[in-house]
Structure formats: C-alpha cells, structure tokens
Amino acid sequence: MRGLETRDAGEPQASPAGPEERPGATGRSGRRQVHAASESRLGASHPRVEGPVDLRLVLPAVAVWITAAVSVGASPGGVAVVVAVSLVAGGVLLAAGPRDARAETEDEWKEEGAEGERVEEHRAKDGDAGTGPGRGAWQGRAAGQQRQAGAERWTGQGRRTGRLGPGRAGWWMSVAAVLLCVGAAAASAGLSAADLRRGPLPALAERSAEVTAEVEITSDPRLTRPRVNGDHMAPTVLLFDADVTRVIQTDGTVEATRTPVLVIVDARPRRTAPEGAGGPARRGAFRSTGGRSPWLSLLPSTRLRIAARVVPALSDGDGIAAVLRVRGSAPPEVVGGPSGPQRFAGGLREGLRKATDGLDADARALLPGLVVGDTSRVTPELDKAFRATDLTHLLAVSGGNLVIVLALFIGPPGLAQRVERRGLASRLGVPLRATALLGGALTLAFVIVCRPDPSVLRAAACGAISLLAIATGRRRSLIPALAAAVLLLVLYDPWLARSYGFLLSVLATAALLTLAPRWSTALQRRRVPARLAEALAASAAAQALCAPVVAVLSARVSLVAVPCNLLAEFAVTPATVLGFATLAASSWAMPLAKALAWWASWPARWIAGIARAGAAQPGGGVDWPDTWTGALLLALLTVAGVAFGRRLLRHPLPSGVAVVLLLLFVVQPPPLTRVITGWPPPGWRFALCDVGQGDAGVLAVGDGSAVVVDAGPDPALADRCLSTLGVTRIPLVVLTHFHADHVAGLPGVLRGRSVGAIETTGFEEPPEQAEFVRREAAARHIPLTRAVAGERRRVGRLDWRVLWPPPDPAVPPDDPNDASVAMLVRSSGLRLLLLGDLEPPAQRALARSAQAAELAGVDVLKVAHHGSAYQDPGLIRRVAPRLALISVGRDNPKTPDFQF
C-alpha cells in the first residue's frame, strides 16, 4: 500500500535508502503503527509520525514575559543596565560561541566521513563473505550514505554546508537567544513605561488640576456594574480608554502629547421631583431621548474635547498615566469622527444589538457577548453566576471564536494543506495561498470587530502564524506558534505581561495543547467515548492550569467549573455560529438576522441556565486565600489530586464513591444537610439569613412554605439561604422599604419558587429601587400590594398585624427608613416584632399609637436599622424582648452600636 501514502504539503521527501525506508528504522515502524491504529483495511490515508515537541521558543517567550512584567515598573536606570548587560552578553555568545562549537562539530563530521570510508573499504576487501547479496548491498549503501553525509558537512575548505550540530553549539545559541530576548523585552518595557512619565499629565495629576484636553478613544465606552454600597446603589460611571493628544490648561497653555489615560464620566442620575407619591424620577446623563446615551455610542478612534480634572492612577500596573474625571450631563464634544474600519465594525455591533432586541433577557445579554464580547447587557446577577462557575471566558472573545470563524472558511486545520481540505474557500475554488491571505484578512477583521483585548490578540497571533505555515507549505506546530505569539505580543505591548486576562488566555491554550490530549487518550483507554473524553479532558485541563490565577482574582475555587464548562460546551458552537451569521446578516437583511438570532437564543439560554444552576449549588465553591501563596498551594493540591485521581481511576468502585461524595458536597440536599449539620432545626419558626449588610428574614409556614421579610443586597446569598431552609413556596414577600440592602436580592428570592404576592411600603423612595421591584414583579407576573397599619393576615400557622406605616400620613417622612413596614407576628405562641429600619421619630410615634398596647413582652425583636445607635429607649423598654436579633455586615464600623 505504499503507493497510496501521501505526505503533507511541504514535507521533505525521504531518499529511497533513507532512514524511513530501512527495515527496522523508526520511521517505517512508526508508519506501521499509524496504519495499525487507523482500524482501516487499507491503512491510514495520511500516515504521519509525530516527532518530539519543538520547545525552542518556549524559554525565550517565558524570559520575555518575566522581563517585561518586571521592567515596566522598574527604574529607568535599572532597565538600562539590564538592556546593556543582556545585549552585550548575548552578542558575545553569539559571536564567540559558534566558533568553538563549530570546530568541535567539524571534527565529529570528519570522523564520521572517515568512518564511512573505512567501512566501505573493508566491505570491498572482504567481499561480504557469508552475508548474502542483499545484506551486503544494503550495508554498502549505508556506508556510502554515512561517508556522503560527512563529506556534505565538511568540504575540506573549512566551509560548513550542513546544519550546526546539536551539542554545545545548540546550547550556546539558546543562551544567546534568551539573553537577546531579555534585552529586547527590557528595552520595550522601558520605553513603554517612559511614555507614562512623559508630557504634562503626570505633574497635572499630582495637583488634581482642571484641564481641557483633546483625546482619541482607544476602547469601547462601558458602564460599571451596579453594586450595593450601604443602603443605596453605588452610582454608575462610564469608562473608556483614550490617548491624550493636546492639553489646554486654565492659563491658556497648549501642549501636544501622546499619553494613555482612563476617562471616567460621572453617570449619577439627575434627581427631579417625584411624580405624585414617589413617582419615577428621570434618568441622568446616560439616558437620552432615544434610550441610548451619545457617550455610549462613541467608537474607538473618535476624537473628543473634554473638560476634566486630572487625578493620579490608582496603581502603577495599569498602563495609564492618569485618570480624567468628567462631570456633568452634557453630551460629548466630537472634534473628529471614527475611522472607516471602526465605523464598519460599530455598525455590525449595533446591528447585532438590534437583531437581539426582541429576545428574552438572557439571550439578549449573552449573544453579543458570545460573538463580539459586548457585555453591556449582562446583568450583575448573571455576571456573578458566570464568575461562580468559571464561565466568564465565554463572554470574553477568545481563540475558540476565531477557530470557529476560520474553520468555516478554511475547514478543519488538520486538512488545510491536503487535497481533501474543506471549508468555504475550498468550495469556491480558492487556491491554498490565497486562502491563507484571505484568512489573514478575516483575522484582522475579527480583531477590529471584537476589539483587541488580550485574549483576542493572543488568538489572532496564533492564527496568523498558523496561516503563515499554510501559505508557505510548512507543517505548523501549535506550541511554537503559541510561544511565538506570546513573545511577539509582549515585545509589542509590554503591559500585556501584567494582564490577568492575557495570562489566563495563554494558560488555557497551553492546557489544551499539552495536558488535554494526554488526558483524553487516558480516558479513551478506560472506554470513555471519544467526543466525551475530549470535552472532559479540555475542561479539566484548562481548569487545572487556570484555577490558581482565578483564585487570586476571586478568592474562591469553583467545584462546579468542570461540569458546567462541559455542559455549556455543547451549546457554544451553535450559539457562536448562529451569532456570527446574525452579525453578518444584520447589515443587509434585518428580518433574516432576527430569525437567526431567535435560533441562536436557544443555545444561549441553555448556557445561562447552566451558569445559574451551577452558581445556585450550596457547595459549588470554597473560599480560598487571594494571594500568590494561596495560588501556589492550590497548584500543589491540583498536582496531588491529578496523581491521586490517576490511581483512583484504576478502581471503579472507589472512583464511584468519590464522585458520589463530591456530588453530595456540591448539591447538599436539605434532608441530608439537616441530618449531618442539624440545620435547620426541626420546628424552626424564624431565621435571619446571612446576606451581609442588609436584612432578609424568613418566617416558617410549614411543608417548604415560608413568608420572606426583605431580600438583602445579594440575590445569590438570599437564594442560598432559602435553599438551605428548604423553602420552595412563598405566599408573600414583604419588602419593608426600598433601600438597596433590603430589596436588591429580590431576584434570588423569586428564582425557581412559587410566589403569591409582594407587599411593599407606600413611600417609593429611592425611585430607582422602587422601579426595580416593579420590574421584577411584572417580569414574573406577581401582584404588588401596599402594606398599611391595621392590616391583618394569616397563612397556615402564621398570623401577623401591620403596625406601621399609617395609611395616610399627614406629613411624608423625611427618610425612607421611617416608612418601613413594621409587623407583629405570632407563630405557634411565639411573638416576634419586626421593626424594619425605623428611626427614632417613627419609633416614638409607634410607641404612642393605638397598637402600642400589643407590644409589651414580645419574645423576639428584630432590632431596627441593623442595631445602630439611633433607637428610641422608650420603645425598647416597652417591648422588653427576651431575645434581640441584629442583622449586620462584617467589618461595619457604624453598626451594631455595642454601647447601645
């Protein structure tokens, strides 16, 4: 079957008597093994024996990375010394090293040629007696080849015609290459760091000066995530990266420069008088008449003139010289529009957003993120679920997206250089080299549309090197391609050496190239199906290498990352392919784009469901030290776990027991948890959830049913608390007032549970939080009611009376706390008083009300306002509780007040 064997394009042909053709040679035996492993009667159509992995670029790439990471923060003098020493030492080795090594290698070549001549003379004299004609002929050819090889390497005139030998010469050259790369990296990092110190901005930042500046935008504008800060939501601000090109100071001085900065635009809403009783207030700077602020519509390469205060950057490792803070709701002053490619890319991104407008919330948020990395619609709750399950790499455009795009164009990479190549280019009859050129243009367009984030740059560099290998006809090797991509990118932008995103991208790719194939082969030997083994090995390998870095960033180790990534992987490809089809169609056929987006929404919803399900597991993650010592400890534990797992897999029964125990730890079913921990205790009546700085109380009704009073600030914590208590049905949710530390966790309370109604106070302040509650209730078709004093209700063994607020107060309260819903609850003889966040004025009014007689001698008091010092002593003396409960966050300097 030798006539059917073919080689990859560009693979050198072996001579008829070469090593691959000799009986017993490694090449021939390797090909026989490849044919045997193919399980085909005719053997493998493309037999190929893999050689050792080429690691020559790995050490220079690592040296460049470390040098750049250190040099961008070092002093200019220290960087200059490193550059000088490295370049001089590398040059000396490069000049002197090969001469000595060449002399040694030439002696070896002479001996090799002489040995070949002696063998041939001996065979000719001896006549090869007793060896047979076949053996003598072969050995004669072998001696001739050996003599010819020596002659080719040494010509007698001292000229070298072959490759330099692998001995000392190789080591000399390797050390010289590393030193030269270190010098280049130090020089590049020093120049990049000098850019931050050059120009007027550093001095202006020290004085917090007010300036007028012209800037060129270098990234998409983005909004910060809403977060709870005390009892209110922290104001949202808009951020974008830019280069300052001109600075106009207050004295009229104008100076040209080119300095990278971070621009922060204040996004706090302008407060207006509420409509009626707590009507909605108008939004501020980032809501225009069209629903989208002109600030958010700015594209990279746009030039602006802004008035801002210059302040120092928070850290030295961000690659920015200063921060420009812009205040006011005025629209941006554009002095130069974006470039043509950026306008084209911006149109595609906007078209994708419009095509997904009609989808449900999860698909509308995820599809732009999966396709082009646009996460502007991802809610904080969904973002937190993706972080808890280590699925955030799906929202950061990575090499996987580029692989899908290139595979559609050039076909599977393994067939790209063969006659059997597939893909759109092959069907259109595009030649191989033209395919590589068009693939390069497609890669460039991918970077422009998806923006040059670290993971995109790394993927584009690897793809470009692979395309170059296809164009030149040389076999590509992905590990050298990755090392070359790292080396070139860090030399071009040394600040990537300090980027966690770039580090995670490189680690994940390295895991897929090194660990995943071996683990996949090991699983297949244990009769795991090939597709499942590959997916499982890829998820586990990436998690093993990335987990220590993720632990530094999040102080947590996810135990559900591997299964969640494995389950989501099956939906990523269809969602991405349909998403890119939507992106392409949105510019010329919006109805078709909307139809494609609807089909893509199904796998997108699956991915969101996987993230939420994984994040909801009580044992889905464990806290971990967010230090590099903790990362090293986790790496050592991972190595030990892999070694132990290899031994464990040989024994099916212990392996099954280990999997079941891990599953029980992650899921923590309430019946089993109650048996092991005793929580919740039998016959429990009231529980305060651990939600940090906020309130979330649960009144037991029985049989998995409970009344919830407030939701706390964090949906995940509220959901976890109710799951631990085994609550699946909620007849009523009472929100005492609309501060964020009482209502922001409402989505977690409502998630996956049957809810009868939501009852709130009538004072709708702050208006944005009241609107948030209305929106959440309307999305789930849950009725909203208003609590007023005198109302009585009964659910199962619970009955309660609303004590506050009065139905029609003569004067509206000055503070939302004084409009809190206060309740007196009876549960099987136990009397509980829940005061919300009532301040002393409302507490005194309550003590003077008609309901005050019922307050004496309660069993349990939920202390108002997290145990602050602002309490009415008269009410406390009247209540005289047997037990007082305070819900408060950790390290809060104001509450509780222990003197009180």
Side-chain angles (χ1 to χ4, degrees), residues 469-490:
I470 293 175
T472 57
R474 296 179 179 273
R475 270 190 287 176
R476 64 188 180 92
S477 180
L478 292 179
I479 292 180
L482 176 62
V486 170
L487 191 149
L488 295 176
L489 287 174
V490 174

Side-chain angles (χ1 to χ4, degrees), residues 703-708 719 722 726-733 747-758 780-783 795:
D703 298 328
S705 182
V707 171
V708 177
D719 184 23
L722 295 177
V727 175
T728 57
R729 297 184 303 278
I730 304 176
L732 183 68
V733 177
V749 174
L750 305 181
R751 184 183 306 135
R753 297 178 179 87
S754 173
V755 179
I758 299 176
R780 296 167 173 81
H781 307 289
I782 301 174
V795 178

Side-chain angles (χ1 to χ4, degrees), residues 542-568:
Q543 179 67 14
L545 285 192
C546 295
V549 180
V550 174
V552 172
L553 297 175
S554 63
R556 188 172 177 82
V557 177
S558 176
L559 300 181
V560 297
V562 172
C564 285
N565 276 275
L566 183 62
L567 293 173

Side-chain angles (χ1 to χ4, degrees), residues 59-292:
L59 188 58
V62 173
V64 164
W65 195 331
I66 296 175
T67 303
V70 175
S71 298
V72 290
S75 63
V79 173
V81 170
V82 172
V83 172
V85 172
S86 300
L87 294 182
V88 170
V92 170
L93 288 178
L94 193 62
R99 186 178 308 157
D100 298 336
R102 187 181 296 117
E104 177 185 352
T105 307
E106 288 169 353
D107 292 340
E108 295 176 356
W109 288 342
K110 289 180 181 179
E111 294 177 2
E112 185 178 343
E115 179 65 23
E117 292 178 357
R118 285 195 298 270
V119 170
E120 189 173 4
E121 291 174 359
H122 176 72
R123 292 302 181 191
K125 183 186 299 184
D126 189 55
D128 293 320
T131 60
R135 177 175 176 84
W138 178 82
Q139 289 180 341
R141 286 197 302 269
Q145 274 192 333
Q146 189 176 16
R147 178 171 52 83
Q148 182 181 0
E152 288 177 352
R153 292 170 181 165
W154 173 251
T155 62
Q157 285 84 14
R159 291 192 302 270
R160 170 182 172 270
T161 60
R163 291 191 313 168
L164 196 63
R168 286 171 49 192
W171 284 106
W172 281 104
M173 302 298 282
S174 298
V175 174
V178 170
L179 288 174
L180 293 176
C181 287
V182 166
S188 177
L191 293 175
S192 297
D195 288 340
L196 306 185
R197 298 187 292 266
R198 187 171 54 240
L201 283 181
L204 294 173
E206 294 297 330
R207 307 198 312 262
S208 297
E210 296 278 354
V211 300
T212 299
E214 290 187 6
V215 302
E216 181 177 333
I217 301 176
T218 57
S219 72
D220 284 306
R222 57 198 182 274
L223 290 173
T224 57
R225 298 287 183 193
R227 59 184 179 86
V228 178
N229 184 10
D231 59 2
H232 63 279
M233 298 297 294
T236 302
V237 297
L238 180 140
L239 313 172
F240 60 84
D241 300 318
D243 288 338
V244 176
T245 56
R246 295 181 67 202
V247 177
I248 307 171
Q249 302 186 37
T250 54
D251 60 359
T253 304
V254 179
E255 188 169 352
T257 183
R258 191 77 181 182
T259 307
V261 296
L262 174 68
V263 180
I264 301 179
V265 183
D266 196 345
R268 282 178 290 187
R270 293 175 296 181
R271 299 296 298 273
T272 60
E275 302 175 3
R282 287 165 42 197
R283 290 286 181 175
F286 298 123
R287 287 297 179 91
S288 63
T289 55
R292 183 174 174 83

Side-chain angles (χ1 to χ4, degrees), residues 710-726:
D710 286 328
D714 191 326
L717 295 178
D719 184 23
R720 185 175 304 168
C721 174
L722 295 177
S723 298
T724 303
L725 294 172

Side-chain angles (χ1 to χ4, degrees), residues 577-824:
V577 171
L578 291 171
F580 274 111
T582 303
L583 179 73
S586 63
S587 60
W588 55 275
M590 185 56 70
L592 175 61
K594 289 182 177 291
L596 292 170
W598 183 84
W599 283 106
S601 67
W602 289 87
R605 284 200 297 266
W606 168 264
I607 296 172
I610 292 297
R612 285 199 170 94
Q617 302 308 314
V622 294
D623 294 333
W624 200 264
D626 57 347
T627 62
W628 287 110
T629 302
L632 178 60
L633 177 61
L634 180 59
L636 294 176
L637 290 178
T638 301
V639 172
V642 170
F644 177 74
R646 293 180 59 184
R647 294 176 178 270
L648 192 63
L649 286 176
R650 301 171 186 171
H651 309 284
L653 183 59
S655 299
V657 172
V659 171
V660 171
L661 291 177
L662 179 61
L663 185 63
L664 291 176
F665 178 81
V666 170
V667 177
Q668 295 183 12
L672 180 62
T673 304
R674 183 175 300 172
V675 171
I676 296 176
T677 66
W679 181 264
W684 68 279
R685 295 289 180 266
F686 178 66
L688 272 181
C689 294
D690 182 9
V691 292
Q693 181 61 37
D695 272 356
V698 186
L699 294 161
V701 175
D703 298 328
S705 182
V707 171
V708 177
V709 182
D710 286 328
D714 191 326
L717 295 178
D719 184 23
R720 185 175 304 168
C721 174
L722 295 177
S723 298
T724 303
L725 294 172
V727 175
T728 57
R729 297 184 303 278
I730 304 176
L732 183 68
V733 177
V734 180
L735 301 177
T736 59
H737 60 297
F738 290 106
H739 275 159
D741 57 337
H742 291 251
V743 303
L746 182 61
V749 174
L750 305 181
R751 184 183 306 135
R753 297 178 179 87
S754 173
V755 179
I758 299 176
E759 189 172 65
T760 70
T761 181
F763 188 65
E764 296 186 351
E765 284 287 336
E768 58 271 15
Q769 294 305 307
E771 173 62 26
F772 163 74
V773 172
R774 285 194 295 269
R775 189 168 59 248
E776 291 292 327
R780 296 167 173 81
H781 307 289
I782 301 174
L784 276 173
T785 62
R786 179 181 173 184
V788 294
E791 173 190 340
R792 288 185 177 273
R793 288 203 182 202
R794 182 178 184 88
V795 178
R797 61 191 180 191
L798 278 180
D799 70 87
W800 67 89
R801 180 177 180 180
V802 177
L803 306 177
W804 195 266
D808 296 306
V811 179
D814 295 330
D815 193 312
N817 288 336
D818 282 337
S820 295
V821 177
M823 304 166 53
L824 181 64

